Amino acid sequence: MKIGDIVKMNTELFRDAAGEIDDRLLFLESWIGIVTAVLEPIDDEPMVMVQWSHLAKPNPRLVSHLKNANPKWDRSCR
């Protein structure tokens, strides 16, 4: 992940064997943010600072807890 990437929370970590997520955690799927800094890893786990759209201050997150949400542009529509 790099500065400027648009990210969402990786809710796959919270899903059961059937792929279902607890209703109390559904709000995580709506979180969207932007990577503002790449931090030092913790125990070989990469970390980034994320500015979430709903929070005033950025906070650190493990990269494994995030998924890239950058839009895939259709270059055929120039």
Side-chain angles (χ1 to χ4, degrees):
M1 245 172 232
K2 61 187 183 308
I3 294 173
D5 279 352
I6 300 169
V7 294
K8 289 185 170 188
M9 289 295 292
N10 182 6
T11 56
E12 298 303 315
L13 304 169
F14 308 112
R15 294 184 184 278
D16 61 17
E20 299 295 321
I21 188 169
D22 189 310
D23 290 343
R24 295 172 292 178
L25 300 175
L26 281 174
F27 71 94
L28 292 174
E29 293 187 334
S30 66
W31 286 19
I32 190 162
I34 188 165
V35 175
T36 59
V38 177
L39 306 174
E40 292 292 322
I42 294 180
D43 296 331
D44 296 331
E45 181 77 39
M47 300 255 329
V48 293
M49 189 68 75
V50 177
Q51 176 62 61
W52 298 104
S53 60
H54 65 284
L55 295 176
K57 293 182 180 179
N59 60 17
R61 289 286 175 182
L62 294 170
V63 169
S64 62
H65 293 178
L66 304 170
K67 63 181 176 181
N68 197 316
N70 284 334
K72 305 253 189 279
W73 298 107
D74 182 3
R75 295 183 188 272
S76 66
C77 301
R78 292 187 199 200

